[in-house]
């Protein structure tokens, strides 16, 4: 059910392709793009280990230690003795968020263990009753956020609660749970605690629920969710609600933004607000088992990648039992904040541009209609050799200016523009080690030719079904197998016609290469490539077998590329490329790609 809905949504969004389904409440969320997630609670004192054993699950989620390692509540609460209650200072978390360029904080007010980190009257199982001196961390954090003008949101685990006898925990899949009893939990813990959080701590920017299933797959009823949602709307009308409430965005457009899976980065442009919750390593709660930390570069690329698809990133910290933040996280946050200080214009208030999101191999494009009324197209450069030219395909207006942004200034760049091809001369030295930024300036939103395939930095054209202008015929999409040694491919059992469009920016010659797997030695199957009024016919070659991985009984079909012709483009301009594949079900062809390889003069 959900998958079909999402597929529909994706198709719809790609067609509409702009960030227009943003309700008034969520405008700040879309503008701010980047926030801090904090997982901190009793589990922070366990550090992903219990009595010499690490958390019993490979995702290493340290905040799950009580359930995974089956720890009795009476034992689990002893963790409160490990906390340095005098030292914990939430203002440090706020200052780190500011330093990282984050615009909001969302903290686990109550995670699955049911332990409230505020002085809750609705449940004794809270921090105030187990700290000395007595602490209300939510109160301290809300004051610090107010002082430093940062928005504050609460994570609340409304479905799963390992403390309350009538709440959900996964063992209830065995020892069934009566809906009426679950409602007792709902009415005596969830609703009163939500009222406390919405009433006692000032302006709340979001409630971030964490039921990653649709309500109809759980014991939670739609009525209970609507009761919760309406309570939020009544007490804090500007407070955002995420899709892990358990009501899908498609089902209830009053849900303010979609939350993707953990660390699930965007792949498609959504025109509805959405975000990725992400970790710097693996665990959300502090774990001393961590030893794989994402680089600053990869985090920046994730943030920019999401923005280029109209999305957000909420990046997590898991402070320890004395409130300190692991060095590896602090260092990366500081580097990210420095980048955003100078280049954040391509993130804050920016959104997807109208070209295909992964069109260029040098990086990603974001777009902004700025406050001065100008239109900026930002070229976020991940990978280019300094001194080379940067090719931008598909924008059909000449920019007023092109600037390389550096920490000190904007360096005006020379460029050539021809119909839909912009060639920008880069200086021999690029200012930033992580991501370099070029700002194109227009006096109106530039138009684009979305059909074009971009010229690669190797001066070739990569032609696949995914970047085609159109296609006719039937095919089977085979995902990659056996650790990728069998690549994903398009299986044709009859006929398939695919068309592309390119812009050739100078007279040039290209070899036409194509890669496929064909396991028949005799066939009447063939493909025809037509470009610029010329056709090239290629009868399939038998590609045979190969060893996918040594000494593993790993014999696989061989995917092999062949050159099927050479094309000479005498004139600069637009060209259509048509591929016609004709075969039969007895002789299926598994086709991958075409590549136009420029022949150097
Ligand atoms: O089970 C939780 C997990 O502990 C963590 O809080 C993440 C954060 O997105 N949410 C759930 C798993 O998706």
């Amino acid at each position: 059910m959900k998958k079909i809905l999402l597929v529909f949504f994706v198709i719809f969004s790609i067609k509409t392709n702009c960030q227009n389904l943003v309700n008034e409440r969520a405008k700040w969320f879309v503008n701010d793009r980047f926030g801090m997630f904090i997982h901190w609670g009793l589990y922070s004192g366990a550090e992903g280990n219990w009595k010499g054993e690490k958390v019993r699950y490979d995702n290493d989620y340290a905040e799950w230690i009580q359930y995974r390692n089956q720890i009795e509540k009476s034992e689990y609460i002893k963790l409160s003795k490990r906390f340095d209650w005098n030292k914990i200072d939430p203002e440090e978390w706020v200052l780190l968020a500011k330093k990282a360029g984050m615009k909001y904080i969302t903290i686990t007010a109550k995670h699955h263990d049911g332990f409230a980190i505020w002085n809750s009257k609705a449940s004794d199982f809270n921090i105030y009753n187990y700290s000395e001196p007595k602490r209300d961390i939510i109160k301290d954090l809300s004051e610090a956020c107010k002082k430093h003008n940062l928005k504050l949101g609460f994570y609340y685990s409304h479905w799963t609660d390992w403390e309350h006898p009538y709440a959900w925990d996964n063992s209830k899949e065995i020892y069934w749970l009566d809906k009426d009893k679950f409602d007792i939990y709902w009415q005596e813990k969830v609703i009163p605690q939500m009222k406390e959080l919405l009433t006692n701590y000032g302006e709340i920017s979001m409630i971030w629920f964490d039921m990653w299933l649709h309500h109809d797959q759980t014991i939670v009823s739609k009525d209970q969710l609507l009761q919760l949602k309406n309570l939020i709307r009544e007490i804090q009308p500007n407070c955002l609600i995420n899709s892990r409430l358990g009501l899908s965005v498609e089902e209830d457009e009053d849900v303010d933004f979609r939350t993707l899976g953990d660390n699930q980065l965007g792949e498609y442009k959504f025109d509805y607000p959405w975000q990725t919750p992400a970790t710097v390593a693996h665990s959300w709660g502090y774990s001393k088992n961590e030893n794989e930390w994402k680089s600053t570069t990869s985090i920046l690329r994730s943030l920019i990648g999401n923005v280029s698809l109209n999305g957000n990133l909420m990046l997590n910290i898991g402070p320890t039992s004395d409130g300190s933040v692991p060095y590896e996280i602090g260092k990366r946050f500081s580097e990210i904040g420095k980048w955003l200080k100078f280049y954040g214009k391509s993130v804050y208030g920016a959104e997807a541009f109208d070209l295909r999101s992964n069109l260029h191999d040098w990086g990603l494009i974001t777009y902004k209609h700025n406050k001065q009324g100008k239109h900026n197209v930002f070229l976020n450069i991940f990978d280019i050799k300094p001194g080379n030219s940067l090719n931008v395909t598909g924008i059909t207006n000449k920019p007023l200016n092109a600037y390389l942004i550096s920490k000190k200034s904007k360096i005006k760049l020379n460029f050539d523009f021809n119909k839909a091809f912009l060639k920008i001369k880069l200086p021999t030295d690029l200012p930033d080690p992580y991501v370099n930024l070029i700002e194109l300036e227009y006096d109106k939103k530039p138009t684009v030719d979305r059909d074009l395939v971009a010229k690669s930095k190797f001066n070739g054209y990569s032609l696949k079904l995914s970047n085609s202008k159109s296609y006719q015929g039937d095919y089977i999409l085979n995902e990659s197998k056996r650790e990728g040694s069998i690549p994903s491919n398009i299986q044709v059992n009859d006929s398939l016609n695919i068309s592309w469009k390119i812009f050739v920016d100078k007279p040039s010659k290209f070899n036409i290469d194509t890669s496929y797997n064909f396991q028949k030695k005799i066939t009447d199957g063939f493909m025809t490539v037509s470009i610029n009024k010329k056709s090239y016919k290629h009868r399939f070659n038998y590609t045979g077998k190969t060893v996918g991985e040594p000494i593993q009984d790993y014999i696989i079909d061989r995917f092999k590329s062949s050159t099927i012709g050479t094309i000479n483009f005498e004139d600069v301009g637009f060209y259509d490329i048509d591929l016609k594949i004709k075969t039969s079900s007895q002789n299926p062809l598994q086709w991958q790609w075409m590549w136009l390889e420029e022949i150097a003069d």
Side-chain angles (χ1 to χ4, degrees):
M1 156 71 174
K2 196 174 169 208
K3 194 160 180 176
I4 295 168
L5 271 176
L6 185 56
V7 168
F8 160 77
F9 190 86
V10 161
I11 293 165
F12 175 75
S13 297
I14 290 176
K15 292 280 178 290
T16 55
N17 183 26
C18 59
Q19 179 107 51
N20 61 11
L21 291 185
V22 181
N23 68 46
E24 201 49 44
R25 250 192 321 259
K27 286 196 184 324
W28 70 264
F29 176 76
V30 165
N31 182 72
D32 288 355
R33 293 294 183 206
F34 188 38
M36 176 185 272
F37 207 175
I38 303 177
H39 277 68
W40 189 84
L42 273 181
Y43 45 77
S44 307
E47 303 186 356
N49 291 272
W50 181 256
K51 297 188 178 178
E53 180 188 8
K54 71 183 280 296
V55 61
R56 289 178 197 158
Y57 200 64
D58 285 350
N59 67 7
D60 282 334
Y61 281 12
E63 67 283 359
W64 271 73
I65 190 90
Q66 185 190 7
Y67 182 82
R68 295 292 184 198
N69 295 41
Q70 296 294 299
I71 304 167
E72 290 300 324
K73 178 179 166 182
S74 56
E75 283 275 279
Y76 183 67
I77 194 56
K78 289 177 186 168
L79 287 170
S80 62
K81 302 297 181 203
R82 294 187 184 179
F83 285 70
D84 184 343
W85 296 111
N86 280 301
K87 188 166 181 293
I88 301 158
D89 180 4
E91 187 172 16
E92 288 174 8
W93 304 338
V94 173
L95 294 173
L96 177 61
K98 301 275 287 185
K99 191 175 180 184
M102 294 163 160
K103 302 298 183 183
Y104 58 92
I105 286 180
T106 297
I107 188 168
T108 51
K110 186 202 79 161
H111 202 265
H112 305 332
D113 58 8
F115 187 75
I117 62 168
W118 76 95
N119 180 12
S120 173
K121 300 293 179 276
S123 161
D124 293 339
F125 195 54
N126 74 67
I127 197 165
Y128 198 75
N129 295 336
Y130 291 94
S131 53
E132 191 53 50
K134 292 194 171 303
R135 298 296 301 267
D136 179 333
I137 295 298
I138 293 293
K139 178 173 177 294
D140 299 339
L141 182 62
S142 67
E143 288 166 358
C145 283
K146 190 166 180 198
K147 177 180 171 185
H148 297 284
N149 191 27
L150 212 62
K151 293 182 182 68
L152 175 62
F154 298 135
Y155 166 115
Y156 188 86
S157 180
H158 59 318
W159 167 46
T160 301
D161 181 311
W162 302 323
E163 183 265 338
H164 194 289
Y166 296 155
W168 184 258
D169 75 56
N170 297 349
S171 65
K172 298 288 186 354
E173 289 178 25
I174 308 164
Y175 312 106
W176 188 63
L177 178 62
D178 180 281
K179 282 183 179 291
D180 293 341
K181 286 197 171 158
F182 181 79
D183 196 52
I184 291 171
Y185 151 70
W186 195 265
Q187 303 306 335
E188 74 180 23
K189 187 167 184 180
V190 173
I191 296 300
Q193 286 198 323
M194 191 49 60
K195 279 180 186 164
E196 290 176 341
L197 289 171
L198 294 167
T199 309
N200 303 336
Y201 299 104
E203 173 95 21
I204 305 306
S205 65
M206 73 172 71
I207 301 292
W208 202 93
F209 292 104
D210 201 5
M211 183 162 80
W212 52 90
L213 298 175
H214 187 268
H215 66 82
D216 62 10
Q217 295 172 273
T218 74
I219 194 167
V220 187
S221 71
K222 184 165 183 175
D223 286 347
Q224 285 167 330
L225 295 180
L226 292 174
Q227 179 192 10
L228 193 51
K229 180 167 79 86
N230 294 336
L231 177 68
I232 296 167
R233 294 284 178 252
E234 179 195 323
I235 299 174
Q236 295 252 5
N238 296 324
C239 179
L240 303 184
I241 298 171
N242 71 326
S243 58
R244 287 196 192 180
L245 168 68
L247 283 175
S248 67
V249 164
E250 288 73 22
E251 182 181 11
D252 184 338
E253 63 180 16
D254 190 33
V255 169
D256 296 292
F257 63 90
R258 180 195 301 280
T259 297
L260 269 59
D262 291 359
N263 290 297
Q264 181 193 357
L265 297 174
E267 289 177 61
Y268 309 100
K269 286 178 197 170
F270 288 144
D271 54 10
Y272 201 92
W274 61 275
Q275 79 173 173
T276 300
T279 51
V280 180
H282 295 287
S283 178
W284 299 90
Y286 176 68
S287 167
K288 67 179 174 185
N289 312 321
E290 298 286 19
N291 58 19
E292 292 174 330
W293 303 85
K294 292 168 191 156
S295 68
T296 298
T297 300
S298 71
I299 294 168
L300 281 172
R301 290 188 183 189
S302 299
L303 172 60
I304 294 163
N306 275 10
V307 174
S308 75
L309 298 170
N310 288 329
N312 282 24
L313 185 71
M314 189 162 75
L315 190 60
N316 182 73
I317 64 170
T320 63
S321 56
D322 68 0
S324 58
V325 175
Y327 172 79
E328 292 85 357
I329 291 183
K331 187 166 183 333
R332 284 157 179 77
F333 276 41
S334 169
E335 289 163 350
I336 291 164
K338 280 189 196 128
W339 190 89
L340 286 167
K341 182 179 169 196
F342 294 104
Y343 308 103
K345 61 170 80 172
S346 79
V347 166
Y348 301 127
E351 61 182 81
F353 186 50
D354 296 339
L355 286 171
R356 262 201 306 268
S357 54
N358 54 1
L359 179 63
H360 296 96
D361 56 7
W362 42 258
L364 295 171
I365 292 180
T366 53
Y367 160 76
K368 186 191 293 184
H369 185 188
N370 70 32
K371 293 187 174 64
Q372 295 70 39
K374 294 286 188 204
H375 295 260
N376 293 131
V377 172
F378 296 108
L379 312 180
N380 301 274
I381 305 167
F382 296 164
D383 174 30
I384 196 88
K385 279 195 178 47
N388 280 16
S389 296
L390 184 79
N391 300 332
V392 185
T393 295
I395 301 178
T396 50
N397 301 98
K398 182 177 181 179
L400 300 172
N401 294 296
Y403 301 104
L404 177 65
I405 308 300
S406 80
K407 290 177 180 163
K408 301 187 196 71
S409 62
K410 290 165 59 161
I411 304 158
K412 199 159 184 168
L413 299 173
N414 296 323
F415 58 84
D416 296 318
F417 175 77
N418 187 343
K419 297 193 177 81
F421 192 80
L422 181 65
K423 183 186 277 284
I424 304 170
K425 186 73 187 127
L426 292 177
T428 51
D429 179 31
L430 291 173
D432 200 86
Y434 298 118
V435 178
N436 281 282
L437 185 64
I438 288 181
E439 177 184 313
L440 302 181
E441 192 178 59
Y442 298 86
D443 52 12
K444 60 183 176 38
K445 185 172 185 180
T447 51
V448 299
D449 181 337
R450 285 177 49 82
D451 291 333
L452 284 170
V453 174
K455 188 175 191 180
S456 93
K457 68 178 190 176
F458 298 115
N459 293 325
Y461 294 89
S462 169
L463 307 177
K464 299 174 180 165
L465 185 68
S466 59
N467 64 3
S468 64
K469 183 173 76 166
S470 63
Y471 67 86
Q472 292 82 32
D474 296 323
Y475 66 89
I476 297 164
L477 174 61
N478 295 322
E479 299 296 340
S480 66
K481 295 187 183 71
R482 304 208 65 176
E483 295 78 44
S485 60
I486 301 172
S488 65
N489 59 82
I490 302 294
Q491 180 161 327
V492 183
N493 295 329
D494 182 10
S495 64
L496 180 64
N497 301 338
I498 312 174
S499 296
W500 295 270
K501 183 178 180 184
I502 63 173
F503 182 84
V504 174
D505 61 298
K506 63 183 177 163
S508 38
K509 278 186 188 170
F510 290 83
N511 282 330
I512 306 167
D513 293 351
T514 188
S515 181
Y516 58 80
N517 158 39
F518 191 70
Q519 290 302 310
K520 297 288 183 177
K521 292 184 177 171
I522 300 165
T523 176
D524 54 5
F526 63 91
M527 62 174 71
T528 307
V529 178
S530 305
I531 310 178
N532 197 19
K533 302 187 185 66
K534 284 190 182 160
S535 290
Y536 307 80
K537 185 164 184 175
H538 170 75
R539 197 165 294 288
F540 309 145
N541 299 323
Y542 166 62
T543 57
K545 302 288 184 182
T546 185
V547 171
E549 187 65 15
I551 320 172
Q552 306 261 336
D553 179 24
Y554 219 134
I555 311 298
I556 59 174
D557 288 352
R558 188 168 172 238
F559 283 78
K560 174 94 181 57
S561 72
S562 310
T563 297
I564 60 178
T566 300
I567 175 78
N568 182 18
F569 295 107
E570 291 171 358
D571 304 316
V572 169
F574 296 98
Y575 291 89
D576 286 333
I577 299 166
D578 297 309
L579 168 67
K580 293 187 183 348
I581 296 172
K582 182 64 187 142
T583 185
S584 64
S585 54
Q586 297 77 12
N587 303 312
L589 178 81
Q590 292 186 335
W591 179 78
Q592 281 184 282
W593 45 255
M594 270 205 301
W595 169 258
L596 302 188
E597 172 75 16
E598 183 171 330
I599 303 169
D601 291 337

